Amino acid sequence: MAINTSCSSGLVALHEACLSLRYGDCDTAIVAGANILSYPGSYDAMAGAGMLSSEGVLRAFDRRADGMVPGEAVAVLVLRKQVDAERDGQRVYATVLGSGVNYDGRTNGITAPSGAAQSRLLRDVYERVGVSAESVGYVVAHGTGTRLGDPVEINALVDAFGGGESGRSGWCALTSVKPNIGHTQAASGLVSVMALALSMRNELIPPSVHCEELSDYIRWEDSPFFVNREARAWPEGGDGVARRGGVSAFGFSGTNAHVVLEACGTAAGDRVAVGGQGVASAYVLPVSAKSEEALERALSGLADHLESEKGIGAGYVASVAHTLSVGRHHFAHRCAVVARDVDDAVRLLREAARGEKPRKVHRGVVTRDFTP
């Protein structure tokens, strides 16, 4: 399905993918967004519309903001129902709690956003999924670095989140990815989702760069938000409360989108064993490639990976064997290693990469019409 809502395209596509999974239209959804600047005419058009920064610096949330800087990206996310992903031993970076889309309606022009529509979308999404605003610790904003768009977006967030029942302020971190890599337009929403998911996994909120003088068009004093301008640890809350965050994307087409994520696992502890695999006396590690040279590199790379993982047990070897068997496309040049444990696997993989053929290494080339 091709979706084009300009700068919100990626996040709208993610919303549609979530609906397809929920309604059973598919069991796996691949959501992709791309922005490639291959034609100078696009720069000319943006410059003519007054959209580009005169200094070539995107300053989201800053009083000196004077426009965006275009960027390129190809972003791809794989979505599955959580129960299916965990059953198949797949690493889960984050859980989508909810998403929503709405439309601006009539505004003063195609590039003029509607704060009322944005606020309404945020309220609808959080009410629908039953998530309290005070449980959200981080929002990756659209943040294009424009004097009009940024204040409208942040003030809409303030209206939707309020000060919380306790009247607290400044509890929720706010950043934009665009000052780092530019505005990747159709892909930008997915890039922001990736940034949020990685922040959750690494328990770290990155800084929003090029923001030195806060915009005076935003009500920061009574706002639940603060611009995160330095790397900040993001641990779980008290009583094991999971980290939650939101991502916004707004297109000058008028289509708005918002997604709420919850942390699932961390970089230090997200090993997932495949269900139903008991400990065995040996495991088959099948590796394949399109050429002998590529096969040798793949064997060495797998050996390096296993050797770098200190203290892992046989359960992880079982998961690696499962992934190599059912989660990889198999090419013509193949090698299968039968190993007892990690140390045995590393030794045999290195021997196979050197072209040796010990007893537990089986190597060969299959024909194009080969079927097991």
Side-chain angles (χ1 to χ4, degrees), residues 229-251:
R229 291 184 274 186
E230 58 183 22
R232 179 185 301 268
W234 191 16
E236 287 188 346
D239 300 323
V241 176
R243 293 175 296 280
R244 288 175 176 170
V247 175
S248 293
F250 309 115

Side-chain angles (χ1 to χ4, degrees), residues 85-90 270-277 315-316 318-319 322:
E86 292 176 346
R87 180 199 62 214
D88 294 340
Q90 295 170 327
D270 61 354
R271 294 290 178 211
V272 180
V274 179
Q277 290 190 120
Y316 182 58
S319 292
H322 175 83

Side-chain angles (χ1 to χ4, degrees), residues 5-370:
T5 60
S6 67
C7 307
S8 59
S9 299
L11 218 56
V12 172
L14 188 147
H15 172 68
E16 292 295 328
C18 290
L19 294 179
S20 293
L21 286 166
R22 185 172 293 118
Y23 295 145
D25 296 336
C26 62
D27 55 19
T28 302
I30 300 175
V31 186
N35 188 53
I36 305 298
L37 301 169
S38 59
Y39 173 58
S42 59
Y43 279 100
D44 295 337
M46 288 184 282
M51 301 169 67
L52 301 185
S53 166
S54 60
E55 297 182 11
V57 179
L58 198 156
R59 303 182 188 275
F61 322 127
D62 195 289
R63 66 187 302 175
R64 299 164 299 165
D66 67 344
M68 71 172 190
V69 176
E72 294 184 310
V74 176
V76 183
L77 296 172
V78 178
L79 274 62
R80 298 193 72 192
K81 290 184 177 179
Q82 186 170 350
V83 63
D84 294 339
E86 292 176 346
R87 180 199 62 214
D88 294 340
Q90 295 170 327
R91 178 176 294 170
V92 179
Y93 282 81
T95 302
V96 178
L97 294 182
S99 61
V101 170
N102 77 355
Y103 189 67
D104 268 353
R106 184 175 181 178
T107 65
N108 291 329
I110 191 171
T111 60
S114 167
Q118 293 179 17
S119 179
R120 186 166 58 250
L121 170 66
L122 293 160
R123 291 180 186 276
D124 289 347
V125 170
Y126 286 97
E127 288 177 7
R128 189 185 316 128
V129 300
V131 171
S132 166
E134 289 195 334
S135 71
V136 177
Y138 178 25
V139 169
V140 183
H142 191 54
T144 57
T146 59
R147 290 183 64 81
L148 172 64
D150 288 358
V152 168
E153 176 182 4
I154 306 311
N155 288 328
L157 278 164
V158 172
D159 287 340
F161 275 55
E165 295 180 0
S166 62
R168 292 188 304 130
S169 62
W171 79 75
C172 187
L174 186 75
T175 70
S176 171
V177 180
K178 294 175 180 64
N180 297 76
I181 64 171
H183 188 349
T184 58
Q185 299 179 44
S188 62
L190 297 183
V191 172
S192 295
V193 170
M194 290 178 175
L196 177 57
L198 289 172
S199 294
M200 289 176 167
R201 183 166 178 263
N202 291 286
E203 301 182 288
L204 184 72
I205 300 176
S208 196
V209 300
H210 303 318
C211 182
E212 298 159 8
E213 303 175 22
L214 290 174
S215 171
D216 46 14
Y217 292 113
I218 298 172
R219 308 193 307 266
W220 298 109
E221 304 78 20
D222 57 350
S223 164
F225 303 98
F226 65 93
V227 178
N228 190 64
R229 291 184 274 186
E230 58 183 22
R232 179 185 301 268
W234 191 16
E236 287 188 346
D239 300 323
V241 176
R243 293 175 296 280
R244 288 175 176 170
V247 175
S248 293
F250 309 115
F252 68 73
S253 65
T255 304
N256 309 313
H258 189 78
V259 173
V260 187
L261 301 184
E262 184 173 273
C264 189
T266 66
D270 61 354
R271 294 290 178 211
V272 180
V274 179
Q277 290 190 120
V279 177
S281 58
Y283 305 93
V284 178
L285 305 178
V287 182
S288 70
K290 292 183 177 181
S291 68
E292 286 298 313
E293 294 77 11
L295 180 59
E296 291 170 3
R297 290 195 299 270
L299 291 165
S300 296
L302 181 57
D304 292 341
H305 169 72
L306 291 174
E307 196 169 43
S308 69
E309 299 292 335
K310 305 298 183 182
I312 55 179
Y316 182 58
V317 182
S319 292
V320 170
H322 175 83
T323 299
L324 292 173
S325 297
V326 303
R328 295 290 184 269
H329 185 82
H330 301 291
F331 299 106
H333 296 265
R334 303 185 182 186
C335 180
V337 170
V338 182
R340 298 188 308 274
D341 51 31
V342 173
D343 293 337
D344 195 32
V346 170
R347 177 181 61 81
L348 291 170
L349 287 165
R350 297 212 183 282
E351 290 177 359
R354 293 194 295 266
E356 301 174 17
K357 294 183 178 180
R359 179 168 161 266
K360 295 181 180 179
V361 172
H362 307 271
R363 191 165 180 168
V365 180
V366 298
T367 60
R368 181 181 294 272
D369 58 352
F370 172 80

